[in-house]
Amino acid sequence: MKVFIAGGSGYIGRVLVRQLSLAGHECRVLCRNPESERQRLAGEKNIYPVRGDIIEYTPSQLAKLIDKSDAVINLVGIIIEKGTAGFEKIHVEGTRKLILAAEEAGVNRFIQMSALGTRDNAVSRYHKTKWEAELLVRNMKFDWTIFRPSIVFGEEDEFINVFAGMARFLPVLPLIGGGHGKLQPIWVEDVCHCFVKSLSMPETFGKTFDQGGEHALSLRDLIELIVSAMGRKRFLAPLPFLIAKIQAKIFNLLPIKPPFTEDQITMLKEDNICDSSEMQDVFKIKPLSLHAYLKRKFEK
């Protein structure tokens, strides 16, 4: 199958493209710098980076790149708006353009990456714009599938690695809101396994799948697990939501990538967990636990 992937040069995208290639699919990867991507992919088979951008390109320009593809996968998304076009432009307008492009190119299979917590009455702007994007996909006449992963961990993630990096240098780690909010981290390889399998599974057409790992963990439990796997001991200091929001406002004024944002703090006020049994049953998968992953990662 010929698959067009938007966001295929990102952290999750790179894993997905590798899995697609190993499964025998031909991948056309949309990226801003195809030359750099070709160098990174030297020696890889059936992976073809193409220059493009879902924000700057028109649907017709994208359609020319998608032409002759059998399926489109949209992974494009951001968690921090600073330095980007923003949630609405990227999540909503970007998805709208890609849908129009796929229609113009005559593609009938469309897979969308959303996020766990996305819903009609979401409290964060991130989840609200992800919901708007989902509605666009649901109204398509195509064979669509939507995946909603929780926090995705892996070698290049920006969640586990952030806390591990802090634990290497800081004696005290902050627990936003006391660290009570629950998360259900899932391994990037398991997330991508479902995407690849769903391409040719009619039973997944018109369905939305929540993706969560083996265990739900509070933020405190998660950080303690990371620190323990590293063989370190660190003091965890509760950081009230109000103080955290003030810090986030200050971070946003500085010329740096903020360690956390106001919108992320809003998300931490509620649990981000799910029943992943349907995912496990449909895709015949038992998610790798974060504990097993960390043990393997820090024993290297």
PDB file of all heavy atoms in Angstrom, residues 178-193:
ATOM      1  N   GLY A 178       0.386  18.868  43.143  1.00  0.00           N
ATOM      2  CA  GLY A 178       0.610  17.797  44.106  1.00  0.00           C
ATOM      3  C   GLY A 178       0.869  16.451  43.463  1.00  0.00           C
ATOM      4  O   GLY A 178       1.128  15.461  44.144  1.00  0.00           O
ATOM      5  N   GLY A 179       0.757  16.402  42.120  1.00  0.00           N
ATOM      6  CA  GLY A 179       1.050  15.165  41.404  1.00  0.00           C
ATOM      7  C   GLY A 179      -0.030  14.111  41.498  1.00  0.00           C
ATOM      8  O   GLY A 179       0.242  12.909  41.376  1.00  0.00           O
ATOM      9  N   HIS A 180      -1.290  14.552  41.736  1.00  0.00           N
ATOM     10  CA  HIS A 180      -2.374  13.585  41.921  1.00  0.00           C
ATOM     11  C   HIS A 180      -3.027  13.144  40.608  1.00  0.00           C
ATOM     12  O   HIS A 180      -3.627  12.068  40.546  1.00  0.00           O
ATOM     13  CB  HIS A 180      -3.443  14.170  42.841  1.00  0.00           C
ATOM     14  CG  HIS A 180      -2.916  14.566  44.190  1.00  0.00           C
ATOM     15  ND1 HIS A 180      -2.377  13.657  45.071  1.00  0.00           N
ATOM     16  CD2 HIS A 180      -2.832  15.789  44.786  1.00  0.00           C
ATOM     17  CE1 HIS A 180      -1.987  14.289  46.174  1.00  0.00           C
ATOM     18  NE2 HIS A 180      -2.244  15.578  46.030  1.00  0.00           N
ATOM     19  N   GLY A 181      -2.949  13.986  39.576  1.00  0.00           N
ATOM     20  CA  GLY A 181      -3.576  13.654  38.300  1.00  0.00           C
ATOM     21  C   GLY A 181      -3.010  12.374  37.706  1.00  0.00           C
ATOM     22  O   GLY A 181      -1.802  12.153  37.728  1.00  0.00           O
ATOM     23  N   LYS A 182      -3.889  11.514  37.183  1.00  0.00           N
ATOM     24  CA  LYS A 182      -3.455  10.220  36.656  1.00  0.00           C
ATOM     25  C   LYS A 182      -3.256  10.246  35.141  1.00  0.00           C
ATOM     26  O   LYS A 182      -4.004  10.889  34.414  1.00  0.00           O
ATOM     27  CB  LYS A 182      -4.459   9.129  37.031  1.00  0.00           C
ATOM     28  CG  LYS A 182      -4.484   8.809  38.513  1.00  0.00           C
ATOM     29  CD  LYS A 182      -5.424   7.658  38.800  1.00  0.00           C
ATOM     30  CE  LYS A 182      -5.406   7.307  40.293  1.00  0.00           C
ATOM     31  NZ  LYS A 182      -6.343   6.181  40.579  1.00  0.00           N
ATOM     32  N   LEU A 183      -2.233   9.510  34.712  1.00  0.00           N
ATOM     33  CA  LEU A 183      -1.904   9.378  33.290  1.00  0.00           C
ATOM     34  C   LEU A 183      -1.780   7.890  32.968  1.00  0.00           C
ATOM     35  O   LEU A 183      -1.596   7.074  33.866  1.00  0.00           O
ATOM     36  CB  LEU A 183      -0.588  10.096  32.985  1.00  0.00           C
ATOM     37  CG  LEU A 183      -0.504  11.578  33.360  1.00  0.00           C
ATOM     38  CD1 LEU A 183       0.936  12.063  33.321  1.00  0.00           C
ATOM     39  CD2 LEU A 183      -1.357  12.410  32.418  1.00  0.00           C
ATOM     40  N   GLN A 184      -1.852   7.559  31.695  1.00  0.00           N
ATOM     41  CA  GLN A 184      -1.764   6.155  31.295  1.00  0.00           C
ATOM     42  C   GLN A 184      -0.789   6.016  30.128  1.00  0.00           C
ATOM     43  O   GLN A 184      -1.195   5.756  28.997  1.00  0.00           O
ATOM     44  CB  GLN A 184      -3.156   5.638  30.915  1.00  0.00           C
ATOM     45  CG  GLN A 184      -3.283   4.131  30.932  1.00  0.00           C
ATOM     46  CD  GLN A 184      -4.739   3.701  30.875  1.00  0.00           C
ATOM     47  OE1 GLN A 184      -5.638   4.455  31.248  1.00  0.00           O
ATOM     48  NE2 GLN A 184      -4.980   2.492  30.404  1.00  0.00           N
ATOM     49  N   PRO A 185       0.503   6.204  30.390  1.00  0.00           N
ATOM     50  CA  PRO A 185       1.512   6.231  29.325  1.00  0.00           C
ATOM     51  C   PRO A 185       1.502   4.957  28.476  1.00  0.00           C
ATOM     52  O   PRO A 185       1.343   3.849  28.989  1.00  0.00           O
ATOM     53  CB  PRO A 185       2.829   6.365  30.096  1.00  0.00           C
ATOM     54  CG  PRO A 185       2.446   6.932  31.423  1.00  0.00           C
ATOM     55  CD  PRO A 185       1.108   6.342  31.727  1.00  0.00           C
ATOM     56  N   ILE A 186       1.698   5.148  27.164  1.00  0.00           N
ATOM     57  CA  ILE A 186       1.726   4.016  26.242  1.00  0.00           C
ATOM     58  C   ILE A 186       2.969   4.106  25.364  1.00  0.00           C
ATOM     59  O   ILE A 186       3.377   5.200  24.951  1.00  0.00           O
ATOM     60  CB  ILE A 186       0.444   3.965  25.380  1.00  0.00           C
ATOM     61  CG1 ILE A 186       0.459   2.739  24.453  1.00  0.00           C
ATOM     62  CG2 ILE A 186       0.229   5.258  24.603  1.00  0.00           C
ATOM     63  CD1 ILE A 186      -0.884   2.451  23.804  1.00  0.00           C
ATOM     64  N   TRP A 187       3.573   2.973  25.091  1.00  0.00           N
ATOM     65  CA  TRP A 187       4.813   2.892  24.311  1.00  0.00           C
ATOM     66  C   TRP A 187       4.555   3.270  22.866  1.00  0.00           C
ATOM     67  O   TRP A 187       3.577   2.846  22.258  1.00  0.00           O
ATOM     68  CB  TRP A 187       5.364   1.475  24.402  1.00  0.00           C
ATOM     69  CG  TRP A 187       6.748   1.270  23.861  1.00  0.00           C
ATOM     70  CD1 TRP A 187       7.766   2.175  23.848  1.00  0.00           C
ATOM     71  CD2 TRP A 187       7.265   0.063  23.296  1.00  0.00           C
ATOM     72  NE1 TRP A 187       8.900   1.613  23.308  1.00  0.00           N
ATOM     73  CE2 TRP A 187       8.622   0.316  22.958  1.00  0.00           C
ATOM     74  CE3 TRP A 187       6.727  -1.199  23.054  1.00  0.00           C
ATOM     75  CZ2 TRP A 187       9.428  -0.656  22.375  1.00  0.00           C
ATOM     76  CZ3 TRP A 187       7.535  -2.167  22.488  1.00  0.00           C
ATOM     77  CH2 TRP A 187       8.877  -1.894  22.145  1.00  0.00           C
ATOM     78  N   VAL A 188       5.466   4.056  22.301  1.00  0.00           N
ATOM     79  CA  VAL A 188       5.312   4.543  20.934  1.00  0.00           C
ATOM     80  C   VAL A 188       5.202   3.390  19.931  1.00  0.00           C
ATOM     81  O   VAL A 188       4.456   3.482  18.941  1.00  0.00           O
ATOM     82  CB  VAL A 188       6.480   5.495  20.559  1.00  0.00           C
ATOM     83  CG1 VAL A 188       7.818   4.776  20.592  1.00  0.00           C
ATOM     84  CG2 VAL A 188       6.240   6.147  19.213  1.00  0.00           C
ATOM     85  N   GLU A 189       5.910   2.309  20.165  1.00  0.00           N
ATOM     86  CA  GLU A 189       5.856   1.172  19.249  1.00  0.00           C
ATOM     87  C   GLU A 189       4.459   0.536  19.244  1.00  0.00           C
ATOM     88  O   GLU A 189       3.974   0.078  18.201  1.00  0.00           O
ATOM     89  CB  GLU A 189       6.902   0.120  19.624  1.00  0.00           C
ATOM     90  CG  GLU A 189       8.346   0.604  19.546  1.00  0.00           C
ATOM     91  CD  GLU A 189       8.879   0.687  18.115  1.00  0.00           C
ATOM     92  OE1 GLU A 189       8.198   0.211  17.188  1.00  0.00           O
ATOM     93  OE2 GLU A 189       9.992   1.240  17.938  1.00  0.00           O
ATOM     94  N   ASP A 190       3.803   0.516  20.409  1.00  0.00           N
ATOM     95  CA  ASP A 190       2.448  -0.037  20.496  1.00  0.00           C
ATOM     96  C   ASP A 190       1.445   0.871  19.796  1.00  0.00           C
ATOM     97  O   ASP A 190       0.516   0.397  19.131  1.00  0.00           O
ATOM     98  CB  ASP A 190       2.055  -0.232  21.963  1.00  0.00           C
ATOM     99  CG  ASP A 190       2.820  -1.368  22.631  1.00  0.00           C
ATOM    100  OD1 ASP A 190       3.274  -2.276  21.911  1.00  0.00           O
ATOM    101  OD2 ASP A 190       2.986  -1.332  23.866  1.00  0.00           O
ATOM    102  N   VAL A 191       1.617   2.177  19.964  1.00  0.00           N
ATOM    103  CA  VAL A 191       0.751   3.140  19.274  1.00  0.00           C
ATOM    104  C   VAL A 191       0.828   2.927  17.764  1.00  0.00           C
ATOM    105  O   VAL A 191      -0.188   2.803  17.075  1.00  0.00           O
ATOM    106  CB  VAL A 191       1.160   4.589  19.621  1.00  0.00           C
ATOM    107  CG1 VAL A 191       0.443   5.593  18.711  1.00  0.00           C
ATOM    108  CG2 VAL A 191       0.850   4.899  21.080  1.00  0.00           C
ATOM    109  N   CYS A 192       2.041   2.868  17.250  1.00  0.00           N
ATOM    110  CA  CYS A 192       2.244   2.753  15.804  1.00  0.00           C
ATOM    111  C   CYS A 192       1.811   1.390  15.268  1.00  0.00           C
ATOM    112  O   CYS A 192       1.352   1.290  14.116  1.00  0.00           O
ATOM    113  CB  CYS A 192       3.711   3.027  15.467  1.00  0.00           C
ATOM    114  SG  CYS A 192       4.205   4.736  15.805  1.00  0.00           S
ATOM    115  N   HIS A 193       1.947   0.355  16.073  1.00  0.00           N
ATOM    116  CA  HIS A 193       1.481  -0.978  15.680  1.00  0.00           C
ATOM    117  C   HIS A 193       0.003  -0.929  15.281  1.00  0.00           C
ATOM    118  O   HIS A 193      -0.407  -1.510  14.266  1.00  0.00           O
ATOM    119  CB  HIS A 193       1.683  -1.960  16.841  1.00  0.00           C
ATOM    120  CG  HIS A 193       0.979  -3.261  16.676  1.00  0.00           C
ATOM    121  ND1 HIS A 193       1.530  -4.335  16.004  1.00  0.00           N
ATOM    122  CD2 HIS A 193      -0.263  -3.680  17.098  1.00  0.00           C
ATOM    123  CE1 HIS A 193       0.671  -5.339  16.006  1.00  0.00           C
ATOM    124  NE2 HIS A 193      -0.410  -4.973  16.668  1.00  0.00           N
TER     125      HIS A 193
END
